[in-house]
Amino acid sequence: MPDFIIGGAPKCGTTSLHFILAQSREVGLPEDEVHFFDADDPIAHPDFLFDEAGKLNWYDPRPGNPEGLDWYASRFAELAGTRVVGEDSTVYLQSEVAAKRIHETLPDVRLIFMLRDPVARAYSQYWHLVTRGRASCRFETALTRHPSIILGSTYAPHLRRYLEMFGPERVMVGLFEDFLADRQGVVDRAARFIDITPFTVAEDKAWFNRTYYPSRPIVQYAINTVSSQIVRHQYRNHFGARHGGAERLRNKIHYYWFRYIHPLVLTSPKKPPMCPKTRAYLEQHLSARNQGLSELLGRDLSTVWPGFSA
C-alpha cells in the first residue's frame, strides 16, 4: 500500500512531479493515476458511473468494501520491491469524501499537494477538456457546464480538511510557480518529505504532459461534438470489470479517432488569451473561495498569484 500520495491539484505540475520522483530507484509509482478513494464522485469521475437500463452502475471505494481494497492493493503488487511506494490521483484534494477514506485506510500516509494560480489553473483545465474532447464550447460557457473547473481551483477548504485530519507533518504543499522557478528545489523538498535520497533531476527528463492547442478553436469544438461521445467510454473499464468484444471495439474506436481525427487542428503551442472581463470575474470569485489560504500556508500568495486576495 502507498507510503505517499500526490493528491492534486490537476494542471499544477503533478504529472511532472510523478515522473521525476519515479526516476529514483527507491520509489515505485503506478504509471497511471489510480482514482480509487473518490471513484463514486459524479463530478470528478462521471465516466465511472453508468445509467444502464434505468439502474445506476457504480464502483464502491469505501474502506468497508474488501473487493475494492483488493483491487487497490493490486495496483501496487509489482512495486513491492521498492523502498517507498506512492500513487498519483490529482482530484483527491477537491473530493469531499477522499480524505476520510484515505485516513481510515492509510492513516500514516504522506500527502503531496501542488497548487497554482487558481485562475491560470482553471483556464488550463478548460483547455485540457477541449484538447481531450470533453468540452465543445467557449471558456465562459464551460464555467457553467463543467463544475470541476471551479472546484479544482478551490483549495482552501479542502486543504484545511487534510491538514486537520492528517496533521501538518504529513502534508506537503508546493506551488507550481516555485516548481517552474526552481524545479530541483521542489523535488529535493519532496524527496526529504517522503524520506528518499535526494537526486539530481535530469534536464531532459524534467517536464511532462506538454500540450498543443487548437489553431482554430471553432473547428475543434465541432470535432468535439463527436469526440465527447467517444471519450466518455475511456475509463469504462478502469476497474477491470468489463470484458468482451464490445469493449475491445470501443477501445479501437477510441484509439483510431484520437490518434488520427481528433488532433487535426491541435497544432498551436500556445493557448488563446483569456478575455479580461472573465479574468476579472475569476480573480474575484476564486479569491473568495480561497479565503484564508495565505494564512493557512504562512505565505502571502498575492505576491505569487496576480489578482489573488485571500
Side-chain angles (χ1 to χ4, degrees), residues 146-169:
H146 298 276
S148 63
I149 294 176
I150 293 294
L151 186 60
S153 287
T154 305
Y155 310 135
H158 306 300
L159 184 59
R160 189 174 290 110
R161 180 187 301 118
Y162 278 95
L163 287 168
E164 291 174 351
M165 195 166 295
F166 288 89
E169 70 280 358

Side-chain angles (χ1 to χ4, degrees), residues 220-241:
Q220 192 66 53
Y221 297 153
I223 293 174
N224 283 3
T225 59
V226 177
S227 296
S228 61
Q229 299 303 308
I230 297 174
V231 75
R232 65 191 181 94
H233 296 295
Q234 181 179 1
Y235 295 104
R236 181 179 175 89
N237 200 33
H238 180 73
F239 298 102

Side-chain angles (χ1 to χ4, degrees), residues 113-177:
F113 299 111
M114 297 290 290
L115 310 183
R116 178 183 185 180
D117 178 340
V119 176
R121 195 222 65 84
Y123 199 47
S124 182
Q125 183 179 344
Y126 161 70
W127 285 108
H128 177 83
L129 293 172
V130 172
T131 59
R132 296 301 188 272
R134 295 178 179 275
S136 54
C137 57
R138 294 170 58 89
F139 180 49
E140 289 71 17
T141 302
L143 291 174
T144 66
R145 292 184 182 176
H146 298 276
S148 63
I149 294 176
I150 293 294
L151 186 60
S153 287
T154 305
Y155 310 135
H158 306 300
L159 184 59
R160 189 174 290 110
R161 180 187 301 118
Y162 278 95
L163 287 168
E164 291 174 351
M165 195 166 295
F166 288 89
E169 70 280 358
R170 294 200 172 276
V171 178
M172 170 186 157
V173 180
L175 298 188
F176 177 72
E177 292 77 10

Side-chain angles (χ1 to χ4, degrees), residues 88-102:
D88 173 13
S89 295
T90 56
V91 291
Y92 284 165
L93 175 60
Q94 68 193 46
S95 172
E96 297 287 343
V97 298
K100 184 174 185 294
R101 292 171 176 174
I102 294 171

